[in-house]
Structures are given as C-alpha cells and as structure tokens.
Short mmCIF file of all heavy atoms in Angstrom, two decimals:
data_model
loop_
_atom_site.label_atom_id
_atom_site.label_comp_id
_atom_site.label_asym_id
_atom_site.label_seq_id
_atom_site.Cartn_x
_atom_site.Cartn_y
_atom_site.Cartn_z
N LEU A 1 47.75 -18.56 -4.35
CA LEU A 1 46.56 -19.38 -4.64
C LEU A 1 46.82 -20.77 -4.18
O LEU A 1 45.94 -21.36 -3.50
CB LEU A 1 46.37 -19.28 -6.14
CG LEU A 1 45.37 -20.27 -6.77
CD1 LEU A 1 43.88 -19.97 -6.20
CD2 LEU A 1 45.24 -20.20 -8.28
N ASN A 2 48.00 -21.32 -4.55
CA ASN A 2 48.24 -22.73 -4.11
C ASN A 2 48.29 -22.75 -2.59
O ASN A 2 47.92 -23.79 -1.94
CB ASN A 2 49.51 -23.20 -4.69
CG ASN A 2 49.44 -23.41 -6.22
OD1 ASN A 2 48.34 -23.62 -6.83
ND2 ASN A 2 50.56 -23.13 -6.93
N PHE A 3 48.94 -21.83 -1.92
CA PHE A 3 48.99 -21.82 -0.52
C PHE A 3 47.63 -21.78 0.19
O PHE A 3 47.34 -22.59 1.01
CB PHE A 3 49.77 -20.58 -0.06
CG PHE A 3 49.98 -20.46 1.42
CD1 PHE A 3 51.17 -20.79 2.08
CD2 PHE A 3 48.93 -19.97 2.28
CE1 PHE A 3 51.30 -20.83 3.43
CE2 PHE A 3 49.09 -19.79 3.70
CZ PHE A 3 50.20 -20.26 4.25
N ASN A 4 46.75 -20.94 -0.37
CA ASN A 4 45.44 -20.79 0.25
C ASN A 4 44.66 -22.10 0.06
O ASN A 4 43.98 -22.60 0.96
CB ASN A 4 44.65 -19.66 -0.36
CG ASN A 4 43.39 -19.35 0.28
OD1 ASN A 4 43.37 -19.17 1.46
ND2 ASN A 4 42.32 -19.38 -0.55
N ASN A 5 44.77 -22.73 -1.16
CA ASN A 5 43.97 -23.93 -1.41
C ASN A 5 44.50 -25.10 -0.61
O ASN A 5 43.78 -25.99 -0.18
CB ASN A 5 44.03 -24.31 -2.88
CG ASN A 5 43.33 -23.32 -3.79
OD1 ASN A 5 42.46 -22.60 -3.32
ND2 ASN A 5 43.55 -23.24 -5.03
N PHE A 6 45.78 -25.09 -0.32
CA PHE A 6 46.45 -26.20 0.49
C PHE A 6 46.24 -26.04 1.93
O PHE A 6 45.86 -26.91 2.71
CB PHE A 6 47.98 -26.29 0.09
CG PHE A 6 48.60 -27.47 0.43
CD1 PHE A 6 48.93 -28.58 -0.48
CD2 PHE A 6 48.99 -27.75 1.76
CE1 PHE A 6 49.60 -29.71 -0.09
CE2 PHE A 6 49.62 -28.90 2.21
CZ PHE A 6 49.96 -29.91 1.24
N VAL A 7 46.58 -24.87 2.47
CA VAL A 7 46.58 -24.67 3.90
C VAL A 7 45.28 -24.34 4.50
O VAL A 7 45.01 -24.75 5.67
CB VAL A 7 47.61 -23.47 4.19
CG1 VAL A 7 47.67 -23.27 5.65
CG2 VAL A 7 48.98 -23.87 3.63
N LYS A 8 44.39 -23.68 3.72
CA LYS A 8 43.00 -23.26 4.18
C LYS A 8 43.01 -22.62 5.57
O LYS A 8 42.30 -22.96 6.45
CB LYS A 8 42.13 -24.50 4.19
CG LYS A 8 41.91 -25.07 2.84
CD LYS A 8 40.95 -26.37 2.94
CE LYS A 8 40.65 -26.83 1.53
NZ LYS A 8 41.69 -27.26 0.73
N PRO A 9 43.75 -21.45 5.64
CA PRO A 9 43.60 -20.66 6.92
C PRO A 9 42.30 -19.93 7.02
O PRO A 9 41.60 -19.82 6.00
CB PRO A 9 44.76 -19.74 6.87
CG PRO A 9 44.94 -19.49 5.29
CD PRO A 9 44.61 -20.78 4.61
N ASP A 10 42.02 -19.41 8.17
CA ASP A 10 40.81 -18.56 8.32
C ASP A 10 40.99 -17.22 7.60
O ASP A 10 40.07 -16.66 7.07
CB ASP A 10 40.42 -18.29 9.76
CG ASP A 10 40.12 -19.61 10.48
OD1 ASP A 10 39.17 -20.30 10.10
OD2 ASP A 10 40.90 -20.02 11.50
N GLY A 11 42.26 -16.65 7.68
CA GLY A 11 42.56 -15.45 7.07
C GLY A 11 43.93 -15.54 6.37
O GLY A 11 44.80 -16.33 6.75
N ILE A 12 44.08 -14.77 5.37
CA ILE A 12 45.32 -14.71 4.67
C ILE A 12 45.74 -13.26 4.46
O ILE A 12 45.00 -12.52 3.88
CB ILE A 12 45.36 -15.58 3.31
CG1 ILE A 12 46.68 -15.83 2.79
CG2 ILE A 12 44.48 -14.94 2.28
CD1 ILE A 12 46.85 -16.76 1.75
N SER A 13 46.93 -12.94 4.88
CA SER A 13 47.45 -11.60 4.71
C SER A 13 48.23 -11.43 3.41
O SER A 13 49.18 -12.23 3.23
CB SER A 13 48.34 -11.22 5.97
OG SER A 13 48.25 -9.83 6.25
N ILE A 14 47.79 -10.53 2.62
CA ILE A 14 48.50 -10.31 1.24
C ILE A 14 49.53 -9.22 1.49
O ILE A 14 49.36 -8.31 2.20
CB ILE A 14 47.46 -10.06 0.15
CG1 ILE A 14 46.73 -8.73 0.48
CG2 ILE A 14 46.58 -11.26 -0.05
CD1 ILE A 14 45.81 -8.32 -0.76
N ASP A 15 50.67 -9.40 0.72
CA ASP A 15 51.72 -8.42 0.70
C ASP A 15 51.33 -7.39 -0.40
O ASP A 15 50.46 -7.51 -1.20
CB ASP A 15 53.06 -9.04 0.62
CG ASP A 15 53.30 -9.76 -0.70
OD1 ASP A 15 52.95 -9.22 -1.78
OD2 ASP A 15 53.79 -10.87 -0.62
N PHE A 16 52.27 -6.40 -0.40
CA PHE A 16 51.94 -5.26 -1.40
C PHE A 16 52.31 -5.56 -2.93
O PHE A 16 52.03 -4.75 -3.72
CB PHE A 16 52.58 -3.99 -0.94
CG PHE A 16 54.09 -4.11 -0.57
CD1 PHE A 16 55.04 -4.22 -1.53
CD2 PHE A 16 54.41 -4.23 0.83
CE1 PHE A 16 56.37 -4.34 -1.16
CE2 PHE A 16 55.81 -4.45 1.15
CZ PHE A 16 56.74 -4.43 0.19
N ASP A 17 52.87 -6.78 -3.14
CA ASP A 17 53.17 -7.14 -4.48
C ASP A 17 51.89 -7.87 -5.07
O ASP A 17 51.94 -8.19 -6.28
CB ASP A 17 54.40 -8.01 -4.56
CG ASP A 17 55.55 -7.35 -4.33
OD1 ASP A 17 55.73 -6.11 -4.76
OD2 ASP A 17 56.62 -7.96 -3.80
N ILE A 18 50.92 -8.10 -4.27
CA ILE A 18 49.71 -8.80 -4.80
C ILE A 18 48.63 -7.83 -5.16
O ILE A 18 48.22 -6.95 -4.47
CB ILE A 18 49.13 -9.73 -3.61
CG1 ILE A 18 50.23 -10.84 -3.25
CG2 ILE A 18 47.80 -10.38 -4.21
CD1 ILE A 18 50.47 -11.78 -4.29
N ASP A 19 48.20 -7.93 -6.46
CA ASP A 19 47.05 -7.14 -6.91
C ASP A 19 45.81 -7.54 -6.17
O ASP A 19 45.35 -8.69 -6.16
CB ASP A 19 46.86 -7.38 -8.40
CG ASP A 19 45.90 -6.49 -9.07
OD1 ASP A 19 44.95 -6.05 -8.27
OD2 ASP A 19 45.93 -6.34 -10.26
N PRO A 20 45.15 -6.53 -5.48
CA PRO A 20 43.98 -6.87 -4.75
C PRO A 20 42.78 -7.43 -5.52
O PRO A 20 42.10 -8.28 -5.19
CB PRO A 20 43.53 -5.46 -4.07
CG PRO A 20 44.27 -4.39 -4.92
CD PRO A 20 45.53 -5.02 -5.36
N ASN A 21 42.78 -7.05 -6.85
CA ASN A 21 41.71 -7.67 -7.73
C ASN A 21 41.97 -9.08 -8.05
O ASN A 21 41.11 -9.95 -8.16
CB ASN A 21 41.65 -6.80 -9.06
CG ASN A 21 41.02 -5.43 -8.86
OD1 ASN A 21 39.81 -5.27 -8.50
ND2 ASN A 21 41.70 -4.37 -9.02
N TRP A 22 43.29 -9.42 -8.25
CA TRP A 22 43.70 -10.76 -8.30
C TRP A 22 43.25 -11.58 -7.06
O TRP A 22 42.80 -12.69 -7.22
CB TRP A 22 45.16 -10.95 -8.60
CG TRP A 22 45.73 -12.32 -8.89
CD1 TRP A 22 45.78 -13.00 -9.98
CD2 TRP A 22 46.10 -13.25 -7.87
NE1 TRP A 22 46.26 -14.12 -9.81
CE2 TRP A 22 46.47 -14.37 -8.48
CE3 TRP A 22 46.26 -13.13 -6.45
CZ2 TRP A 22 47.05 -15.49 -7.70
CZ3 TRP A 22 46.71 -14.24 -5.73
CH2 TRP A 22 47.13 -15.41 -6.41
N SER A 23 43.57 -11.03 -5.87
CA SER A 23 43.20 -11.63 -4.76
C SER A 23 41.74 -11.99 -4.61
O SER A 23 41.32 -12.99 -4.19
CB SER A 23 43.64 -10.88 -3.56
OG SER A 23 45.01 -10.63 -3.50
N LYS A 24 40.93 -10.94 -4.94
CA LYS A 24 39.49 -11.16 -4.87
C LYS A 24 39.03 -12.28 -5.82
O LYS A 24 38.13 -12.97 -5.45
CB LYS A 24 38.82 -9.76 -5.25
CG LYS A 24 37.29 -9.86 -5.09
CD LYS A 24 36.63 -8.50 -5.38
CE LYS A 24 35.16 -8.57 -5.02
NZ LYS A 24 34.51 -7.21 -5.21
N LYS A 25 39.63 -12.30 -6.92
CA LYS A 25 39.19 -13.28 -8.04
C LYS A 25 39.67 -14.75 -7.61
O LYS A 25 38.81 -15.68 -7.81
CB LYS A 25 39.78 -12.95 -9.33
CG LYS A 25 39.39 -13.85 -10.50
CD LYS A 25 39.89 -13.38 -11.81
CE LYS A 25 39.50 -14.32 -12.97
NZ LYS A 25 40.05 -13.86 -14.18
N TYR A 26 40.88 -14.94 -6.99
CA TYR A 26 41.41 -16.29 -6.86
C TYR A 26 41.48 -16.80 -5.46
O TYR A 26 41.42 -18.01 -5.23
CB TYR A 26 42.79 -16.28 -7.58
CG TYR A 26 42.84 -16.17 -8.91
CD1 TYR A 26 43.24 -15.01 -9.61
CD2 TYR A 26 42.36 -17.17 -9.77
CE1 TYR A 26 43.25 -14.80 -10.94
CE2 TYR A 26 42.34 -17.09 -11.12
CZ TYR A 26 42.78 -15.90 -11.76
OH TYR A 26 42.72 -15.83 -13.09
N LEU A 27 41.50 -15.93 -4.45
CA LEU A 27 41.60 -16.44 -3.03
C LEU A 27 40.16 -16.52 -2.50
O LEU A 27 39.64 -15.65 -1.94
CB LEU A 27 42.55 -15.47 -2.23
CG LEU A 27 43.94 -15.18 -2.81
CD1 LEU A 27 44.64 -14.29 -1.87
CD2 LEU A 27 44.65 -16.55 -2.97
N LYS A 28 39.68 -17.78 -2.56
CA LYS A 28 38.33 -18.05 -2.13
C LYS A 28 38.31 -18.75 -0.71
O LYS A 28 39.20 -19.40 -0.23
CB LYS A 28 37.71 -18.91 -3.19
CG LYS A 28 37.70 -18.39 -4.65
CD LYS A 28 36.80 -17.09 -4.66
CE LYS A 28 36.69 -16.63 -6.05
NZ LYS A 28 36.01 -15.31 -6.12
N GLY A 29 37.15 -18.61 -0.09
CA GLY A 29 36.90 -19.21 1.25
C GLY A 29 37.78 -18.77 2.34
O GLY A 29 37.90 -19.47 3.29
N VAL A 30 38.23 -17.56 2.19
CA VAL A 30 39.14 -16.96 3.24
C VAL A 30 38.93 -15.48 3.44
O VAL A 30 38.47 -14.83 2.52
CB VAL A 30 40.65 -17.26 2.78
CG1 VAL A 30 40.97 -16.42 1.52
CG2 VAL A 30 41.71 -17.03 3.97
N CYS A 31 39.21 -14.97 4.59
CA CYS A 31 39.15 -13.53 4.85
C CYS A 31 40.55 -13.04 4.39
O CYS A 31 41.53 -13.48 4.84
CB CYS A 31 38.88 -13.28 6.28
SG CYS A 31 39.06 -11.63 6.72
N ILE A 32 40.44 -12.03 3.52
CA ILE A 32 41.73 -11.44 3.09
C ILE A 32 42.00 -10.23 4.05
O ILE A 32 41.17 -9.55 4.54
CB ILE A 32 41.60 -10.90 1.62
CG1 ILE A 32 41.45 -12.16 0.75
CG2 ILE A 32 42.78 -10.00 1.24
CD1 ILE A 32 41.23 -11.81 -0.77
N GLN A 33 43.28 -10.07 4.38
CA GLN A 33 43.86 -9.09 5.20
C GLN A 33 45.01 -8.35 4.56
O GLN A 33 45.75 -8.89 3.80
CB GLN A 33 44.32 -9.66 6.54
CG GLN A 33 45.08 -8.64 7.48
CD GLN A 33 45.55 -9.26 8.72
OE1 GLN A 33 44.78 -9.42 9.64
NE2 GLN A 33 46.88 -9.66 8.72
N GLY A 34 44.95 -6.97 4.75
CA GLY A 34 46.17 -6.20 4.40
C GLY A 34 46.33 -5.83 2.91
O GLY A 34 45.28 -5.70 2.19
N GLY A 35 47.54 -5.64 2.50
CA GLY A 35 47.85 -5.39 1.12
C GLY A 35 48.60 -4.01 0.88
O GLY A 35 49.49 -3.96 0.08
N MET A 36 48.17 -2.98 1.57
CA MET A 36 48.69 -1.66 1.22
C MET A 36 50.21 -1.57 1.58
O MET A 36 50.67 -1.93 2.71
CB MET A 36 47.98 -0.55 1.96
CG MET A 36 48.24 0.85 1.40
SD MET A 36 47.13 2.11 2.21
CE MET A 36 48.30 2.84 3.27
N ASP A 37 50.93 -0.98 0.74
CA ASP A 37 52.45 -0.70 0.90
C ASP A 37 52.61 0.21 2.04
O ASP A 37 52.18 1.26 2.02
CB ASP A 37 52.99 -0.22 -0.38
CG ASP A 37 54.52 -0.29 -0.46
OD1 ASP A 37 55.06 -0.26 0.68
OD2 ASP A 37 55.19 -0.44 -1.57
N PRO A 38 53.38 -0.20 3.08
CA PRO A 38 53.67 0.65 4.25
C PRO A 38 54.43 1.93 3.82
O PRO A 38 54.35 2.97 4.51
CB PRO A 38 54.46 -0.15 5.19
CG PRO A 38 54.92 -1.28 4.42
CD PRO A 38 54.03 -1.59 3.33
#
C-alpha cells in the first residue's frame, strides 16, 4: 500500500502472499498484475 501510494507506477505486480481482495480494496489508481502462486 505504501509502495503504491509513494511510487505510483502504472502497474504493480502482486506476489502470492498478497490477498487479491486486499489488493482490490487498497491498491488504487494502478493496474494490478499477477498474484497466483506458481
């Protein structure tokens, strides 16, 4: 959350420890990428 608000990239790739619902709620103004555990 802090990274996204500070850095403001066009897209942010989430790792598999991040709950996608949490990402949807808190990561705003950015295109979300990824998430699924390989």
Side-chain angles (χ1 to χ4, degrees):
L1 172 60
N2 294 330
F3 181 98
N4 188 54
N5 291 342
F6 195 105
V7 180
K8 295 181 171 61
D10 299 298
I12 193 163
S13 208
I14 58 172
D15 62 49
F16 47 80
D17 289 329
I18 299 292
D19 183 335
N21 287 293
W22 181 92
S23 301
K24 182 173 185 176
K25 182 177 180 179
Y26 291 108
L27 302 181
K28 301 298 185 182
V30 68
C31 172
I32 293 174
Q33 172 179 278
M36 195 175 104
D37 192 330

